[in-house]
Amino acid sequence: MIRVTENFRKIQDLLAKAAADAGRPADHIRLLAVSKKKPLEAILAAASAGQRDFGENFVQEGIGKIAACGRDDLTWHFIGHLQANKTKAVAENFQWVHTVDRLKIARRLSQQRPESMADLNICIEVNVDAEEKKSGVSPAELPDLAAAIAELPRLRLRGLMCLPAIRHDFDEQRKPFAALNAMSKALQASGLELDTLSMGMSADYAAAIHEGATMVRIGTALFGAR
Ligand SMILES: *Cc1c(COP(=O)(O)O)cnc(C)c1O
């Protein structure tokens, strides 16, 4: 588990460097450690190195880890595809959901979020490359969805998330992230208070940071291959 600690330090340095290259303060970028399919020990190692935010893709696996680690010191983000029959479990356990892409799901999360818990933080997933097989709302439908979600009780709309098609060239990687940033700015201009751009993973975090990412979701570079 020494490797998780080492990787954590290395990633902190890489994120700081990417921020400096982009002319942004490093503390504007939050590292979300994607721990899917990784054992509890890996999470605990990262937590003892100072990591606080963890992302999980599978509801049952995530709930098990939340039960074991608790929510007092750690913040748990659901970043997987969310089906309607799983919204209750997510609403009752996680603090963030990054993958809301339709109103039905948002309404269920709103109704199912326990009153005793803080508002559930929401990012809307946008299908930036209009990929047929990918989740996410289309850019055209985003404004209406965002306005509707912002009205729902017990949810707090924080921002946008994307998972672009794989690109290898840095300048190509920047394009979908720049597009998501522009959508966020347009929503802000329409009066929504958004503070989160959840974009960038192990292979494209630098491009995402260049285009304004406030949260990068890193799995492989931190915990090794899955
Ligand atoms: C798995 C996953 C990640 C992390 O990807 P890595 O390439 O391992 O860094 C980020 N975001 C989402 C939505 C994921 O499913």
Side-chain angles (χ1 to χ4, degrees):
M1 279 312 141
I2 290 167
R3 211 157 23 139
V4 172
T5 312
E6 272 177 20
N7 289 349
F8 177 70
R9 301 253 152 74
K10 224 182 286 173
I11 286 164
Q12 301 278 46
D13 290 346
L14 289 170
L15 296 182
K17 185 183 179 302
D21 288 348
R24 300 181 55 206
D27 66 358
H28 286 194
I29 296 134
R30 188 159 154 189
L31 171 61
L32 175 50
V34 176
S35 42
K36 63 180 172 216
K37 298 185 183 169
K38 293 297 174 183
L40 218 46
E41 294 73 48
I43 292 174
L44 295 173
S48 59
Q51 177 61 23
R52 290 293 165 258
D53 291 277
F54 291 89
E56 290 284 337
N57 290 61
F58 307 104
V59 177
Q60 287 315 314
E61 180 186 339
I63 289 175
K65 289 169 173 173
I66 294 169
C69 299
R71 273 186 299 262
D72 291 339
D73 296 326
L74 305 184
T75 301
W76 297 92
H77 302 244
F78 185 76
I79 63 169
H81 179 65
L82 185 49
Q83 292 165 323
N85 63 356
K86 301 277 176 64
T87 51
K88 188 162 188 285
V90 168
E92 291 177 348
N93 286 279
F94 286 82
Q95 290 113 313
W96 284 72
V97 180
H98 289 232
T99 47
V100 173
D101 63 359
R102 44 205 168 109
L103 191 54
K104 176 188 173 182
I105 295 289
R107 283 207 180 106
R108 290 177 68 92
L109 290 170
S110 170
Q111 285 158 3
Q112 293 164 339
R113 182 66 168 175
E115 303 245 12
S116 59
M117 296 177 84
D119 287 352
L120 181 61
N121 297 291
I122 301 290
C123 290
I124 297 175
E125 181 176 0
V126 181
N127 188 351
V128 279
D129 287 313
E131 292 174 278
E132 227 166 80
K133 277 181 282 177
K134 224 171 240 177
S135 315
V137 67
S138 69
E141 290 168 310
L142 171 63
D144 284 350
L145 180 62
I149 291 176
E151 295 296 317
L152 293 174
R154 289 190 287 283
L155 302 186
R156 184 169 166 212
L157 180 60
R158 298 295 295 266
L160 305 180
M161 177 270 208
C162 71
L163 197 69
I166 292 171
R167 296 165 170 85
H168 298 288
D169 177 73
F170 182 78
D171 290 327
E172 287 300 314
Q173 288 179 345
R174 284 174 57 176
K175 290 177 185 170
F177 298 137
L180 196 72
N181 193 337
M183 290 174 218
S184 172
K185 290 216 165 80
L187 294 176
Q188 285 168 331
S190 79
L192 295 180
E193 283 175 36
L194 307 181
D195 63 9
T196 302
L197 276 175
S198 167
M199 57 189 199
M201 316 200 301
S202 294
D204 56 11
Y205 68 87
I209 286 172
H210 226 88
E211 297 302 340
T214 65
M215 220 185 283
V216 290
R217 309 180 308 268
I218 307 278
T220 309
L222 184 55
F223 296 117
R226 286 180 292 272

